[in-house]
Amino acid sequence: RTHMQIGPDKKIYLTDISGKEISQKEIIPMKGANVVSLNAADLSKGIYIAQIIQNGKSSSKKVYISTSY
């Protein structure tokens, strides 16, 4: 679980450590705290990057997948 500030109408991208895009999801946040779930069932153990693009700026966080589903 990771926390990132998200403004209205944004996209989140999940890439592997080499930069290959794994998935993307459009986000329409509501007022207050928001939780975004991404399906990790097909992901191998490892490090991934979650990137949010908003208003021409990006914010990234490392995501660790420690178990296979």
Side-chain angles (χ1 to χ4, degrees):
R1 176 172 275 192
T2 187
H3 299 279
M4 301 171 86
Q5 283 190 323
I6 303 173
D9 301 327
K10 307 305 171 205
K11 281 193 176 181
I12 186 168
Y13 298 89
L14 186 66
T15 60
D16 65 16
I17 200 71
S18 71
K20 179 182 173 188
E21 186 177 303
I22 304 300
S23 68
Q24 66 173 302
K25 187 174 192 174
E26 189 166 336
I27 306 165
I28 303 172
M30 303 297 195
K31 186 176 181 176
N34 290 270
V35 175
V36 176
S37 297
L38 297 172
N39 185 354
D42 296 329
L43 298 180
S44 300
K45 293 179 185 179
I47 300 171
Y48 296 85
I49 307 296
Q51 179 183 37
I52 293 179
I53 307 289
Q54 57 184 9
N55 302 327
K57 298 179 183 177
S58 71
S59 177
S60 300
K61 293 281 186 173
K62 287 183 183 176
V63 176
Y64 299 92
I65 304 295
S66 58
T67 58
S68 296
Y69 295 92

